[in-house]
Amino acid sequence: MLAYIIRRLGSTVLVMVIVGVFVFMLLHLSPGDPAAIVAGDQASPAQIAQIRERLGLDDPLPIQFLRWASGVVQGDLGVSIFSGEPVLKLIGERLEPTVSLTLTTLVFAVVIAVTFGVIAAANAGSLADRALMGFSVLGFSVPVFVVGYLLIYVFSIQLRWLPVQGYTPIAQGLWPWFERLILPTIALGMAYVALIARITRTSMLEVLSEDYIRTAKAKGVASRPLLLKHALKNAGVPIVTVIGIGVALLIGGVVITETVFNIPGVGRLVVDAISKRDYPIIQGVILLFSAAYVLINLLVDISYTFLDPRIRY
Amino acid sequence: MSTVPETSLELRQPRSAAGLWRFTRRNPTIVAGATILFVVMALALSAPLFAGDPLSMTPALRLRPPSAEFWFGTDHLGRDLFARTLYGAQISLLVGLSVAAFSISVGLVIGLLAGYYRRVDAVVMRLMDGLMAIPAILLAIALVALTQASVFVVIVAITIPEVPRVVRLVRSVVLGVREAPYVEAAVASGTRTGKIIIRHILPNTIAPLIVQSTYICASAILIESALSFLGAGTPPDVPTWGNMIAQSRLYLGPAPWTIFFPGIALAVIVLAVNLLGDGLRDRLDPRLARRM
């Protein structure tokens, strides 16, 4: 077990190194002078020369990469072109809204999707099953921002039940914080719910057809404990896998959701950086989000042994 | 010796009306998806024949609700939303189809080589793992932000994150058949490696790739709209569904149609592609169908 975790940790580090190489190469293999890109559109030739000097762009690529990577490992993601502040600090200031939104969506999506999936599987072929699966195809197809504007239009503009947009820090009270997260959470969660509900249904159907379930039914286990204790627990591995893979969906969606609902998070930071061509910020956010994705999937892999004692490493 | 999977025979063109009806009844999602897609495609391509000018601005007629003259209403600059939505379909379809074609072609070559040659495999798959760890939208944003915005750059930027998914799929198929007796027989009888890969292994990848290409197309259309929406995609003077919604977002209250028509168009076309994909998957790839 420990040996497996160490091996898995090793491959995680390797993947992150490769991500680092890609992010580094993006800037250096792109057409155009990296110094000019880093300097921004309004830079003078003297400024560009200064940046070229500072980044050591005249050194061979591998040396440049090692220098950049050792900085990243120590938390130095460079400085913003626009404000001159360290990228890590800028990201840190924006982290709370993004983490809040991601966590509420994760909880909301998993609870709703697993419930839907179990209900659909328990009543396979019924109208409820068809409706839920139809909804799941729809959830894949309607983009986050369309769902977002629809929710704002109905619940904020027409019904006036919820605030239109923005973010209130959790320090200012739980309800004001939560109130502004309700609509973004639903919008962001749609595709994720669809994905997890589908897998839950399939995985449950597979388990429900096994002999031990028939035995449990025959000896008179009530249907709720049968579904939840006997079946769902054993259907867990594929569900958890998809929850992990789907985090990529969530991370991409955060960027869009924050723009729709005007939430000042990391996603907005990167979107604002696009129009200002603030490349160090884009690089920093990609590294951060990729690392989050890789780490979550590492945890998912390790969780298999707890979910299914048959899996031994 | 061809090894096209038997199931694909059922997709052969039905010859009579009765055959067509039977095909529809057995594959409702394929027919529904393909029909919607075909209609949208026809409308998009014939847009210049009957739709107005998507770019001409008539400030006197700004934010008009849908009417007989402007079917989808007008936006804040008085532009005809019906025309803009139709021209937007051209970009979405172009990006969706090109990304599917490019990523399948590139991924197929890399996947075949990685699956067949063990030494290539180790290196390539690590690279693909790394590429897959970067969220597709962010990678595309980074690529677009580096260069001048154009439709071609957007296509390339969306293709790159899709390639690893194709590589993984092709590789798993190749690994599955590489040890099959008929491939071993071909190797033993001295068939050239190139011929083995193309004649004996490649055909096995076709059915799963057809299914995969529909999902890539749907995801590419969604990512293109997201990039345009965020202002990191197609130049703003080309109407796309994403930038139409972005430009209208301040008018959601007084003129919801400016956002809902492109939004509905986007949802309908992605839904059609997904339905087609689900139907094809059930038909062509029953193994996958059971799992999903």
Side-chain angles (χ1 to χ4, degrees):
Chain A
M1 180 67 197
L2 192 67
Y4 168 74
I5 293 180
I6 290 170
R7 211 166 53 234
R8 191 61 186 71
L9 216 59
S11 71
T12 303
V13 172
L14 185 64
V15 167
M16 275 319 293
V17 170
I18 294 167
V19 170
V21 173
F22 276 127
V23 171
F24 174 79
M25 296 297 257
L26 270 177
L27 191 60
H28 289 266
L29 288 187
S30 67
D33 180 3
I37 295 173
V38 172
D41 289 340
Q42 278 93 39
S44 66
Q47 279 172 306
I48 293 175
Q50 197 190 344
I51 286 174
R52 166 168 290 278
E53 177 82 15
R54 184 163 56 82
L55 293 179
L57 290 175
D58 298 321
D59 293 333
L61 269 185
I63 292 180
Q64 287 186 47
F65 173 72
L66 285 180
R67 195 166 45 218
W68 176 79
S70 71
V72 168
V73 172
Q74 293 164 38
D76 175 15
L77 294 173
V79 292
S80 156
I81 296 160
F82 197 74
S83 66
E85 290 189 76
V87 172
L88 195 68
K89 178 166 167 274
L90 290 171
I91 292 178
E93 287 166 357
R94 305 283 198 115
L95 215 50
E96 188 199 308
T98 304
V99 172
S100 302
L101 177 59
T102 317
L103 287 183
T104 51
T105 309
L106 200 68
V107 173
F108 161 78
V110 171
V111 170
I112 296 281
V114 171
T115 314
F116 277 12
V118 170
I119 293 175
N123 306 290
S126 70
L127 196 67
D129 179 28
R130 281 158 185 268
L132 287 173
M133 287 307 107
F135 160 79
S136 99
V137 181
L138 206 65
F140 276 133
S141 308
V142 187
V144 179
F145 49 92
V146 175
V147 181
Y149 284 123
L150 190 67
L151 291 173
I152 294 179
Y153 185 72
V154 173
F155 292 101
S156 305
I157 296 180
Q158 293 296 322
L159 298 172
R160 294 175 187 279
W161 287 355
L162 290 165
V164 177
Q165 26 183 226
Y167 176 78
T168 312
I170 197 165
Q172 292 178 23
L174 207 58
W175 175 248
W177 168 80
F178 187 66
E179 190 187 34
R180 283 175 187 269
L181 282 175
I182 295 175
L183 295 183
T185 296
I186 298 173
L188 178 57
M190 281 290 265
Y192 202 39
V193 168
L195 184 72
I196 302 171
R198 255 184 179 213
I199 286 291
T200 306
R201 176 180 178 271
T202 318
S203 179
M204 281 291 285
L205 279 179
E206 213 158 273
V207 172
L208 284 176
S209 67
E210 290 202 18
D211 290 342
Y212 78 90
I213 293 287
R214 198 181 49 211
T215 310
K217 259 186 207 160
K219 76 172 190 188
V221 177
S223 78
R224 186 174 298 219
L226 178 88
L227 281 176
L228 299 184
K229 252 180 82 186
H230 292 72
L232 183 59
K233 203 173 163 233
N234 285 294
V237 169
I239 301 174
V240 173
T241 308
V242 158
I243 293 175
I245 294 171
V247 167
L249 220 66
L250 223 55
I251 290 173
V254 154
V255 179
I256 302 162
T257 313
E258 289 185 356
T259 306
V260 172
F261 290 93
N262 212 0
I263 298 171
V266 181
R268 273 302 296 277
L269 183 68
V270 86
V271 172
D272 294 342
I274 301 170
S275 51
K276 293 176 192 155
R277 296 207 158 219
D278 203 335
Y279 214 76
I281 291 185
I282 300 181
Q283 272 185 323
V285 173
I286 292 186
L287 274 180
L288 176 84
F289 279 175
S290 307
Y293 175 70
V294 170
L295 282 180
I296 288 170
N297 279 287
L298 174 70
L299 292 180
V300 164
D301 272 12
I302 294 173
S303 78
Y304 289 162
T305 36
F306 299 104
L307 280 171
D308 189 346
R310 283 171 299 188
I311 297 178
R312 283 262 166 268
Y313 297 108
Chain B
M1 190 179 83
S2 158
T3 50
V4 176
E6 283 173 55
T7 42
S8 68
L9 292 177
E10 294 183 36
L11 275 171
R12 232 191 252 155
Q13 288 281 309
R15 286 196 190 83
S16 62
L20 192 70
W21 171 239
R22 201 169 61 224
F23 184 81
T24 308
R25 234 184 22 217
R26 283 189 188 166
N27 308 284
T29 54
I30 296 183
V31 175
T35 310
I36 300 174
L37 207 58
F38 182 76
V39 170
V40 174
M41 225 179 266
L43 283 174
L45 290 178
S46 58
L49 298 179
F50 60 94
D53 182 352
L55 299 176
S56 80
M57 303 178 210
T58 324
L61 297 173
R62 59 197 297 269
L63 299 178
R64 289 292 160 95
S67 63
E69 191 188 353
F70 300 109
W71 290 0
F72 287 2
T74 61
D75 69 3
H76 62 290
L77 297 173
R79 292 176 296 195
D80 180 4
L81 282 171
F82 180 66
R84 290 179 70 73
T85 305
L86 281 189
Y87 280 93
Q90 291 183 350
I91 300 289
S92 285
L93 289 168
L94 175 70
V95 172
L97 297 177
S98 316
V99 170
F102 287 162
S103 53
I104 295 279
S105 321
V106 176
L108 178 62
V109 173
I110 301 178
L112 283 174
L113 295 177
Y116 200 81
Y117 297 104
R118 288 224 172 91
R119 236 179 293 166
V120 182
D121 189 49
V123 180
V124 167
M125 291 323 286
R126 289 295 81 72
L127 286 179
M128 293 300 141
D129 283 349
L131 207 50
M132 277 180 93
I134 306 176
I137 289 188
L138 282 178
L139 185 54
I141 286 177
L143 290 167
V144 173
L146 275 175
T147 43
Q148 284 301 315
S150 76
V151 178
F152 181 70
V153 170
V154 170
I155 291 172
V156 173
I158 304 176
T159 300
I160 292 175
E162 296 289 351
V163 166
R165 282 162 252 275
V166 182
V167 172
R168 284 198 151 194
L169 178 70
V170 173
R171 172 180 175 269
S172 72
V173 173
V174 177
L175 288 180
V177 297
R178 204 179 59 169
E179 314 291 339
Y182 74 90
V183 175
E184 282 185 351
V187 175
S189 61
T191 317
R192 275 180 300 112
T193 310
K195 194 173 171 190
I196 292 176
I197 293 180
I198 290 170
R199 292 266 317 259
H200 301 299
I201 294 181
L202 176 78
N204 292 289
T205 65
I206 290 173
L209 279 182
I210 290 175
V211 176
Q212 191 69 16
S213 66
T214 61
Y215 294 136
I216 291 177
C217 179
S219 127
I221 291 174
L222 285 176
I223 295 179
E224 188 282 323
S225 73
L227 290 178
S228 298
F229 174 72
L230 295 174
T234 321
D237 49 320
V238 179
T240 67
W241 294 337
N243 68 28
M244 286 170 72
I245 293 174
Q247 288 165 15
S248 298
R249 67 174 146 216
L250 295 176
Y251 309 96
L252 177 64
W257 58 87
T258 54
I259 285 183
F260 291 153
F261 280 115
I264 291 168
L266 193 49
V268 166
I269 200 165
V270 177
L271 187 66
V273 178
N274 276 333
L275 283 178
L276 183 65
D278 282 358
L280 288 173
R281 184 195 59 207
D282 293 345
R283 263 275 148 274
L284 294 175
D285 199 351
R287 189 180 54 87
L288 230 152
R290 264 204 308 282
R291 234 190 291 146
M292 277 297 275

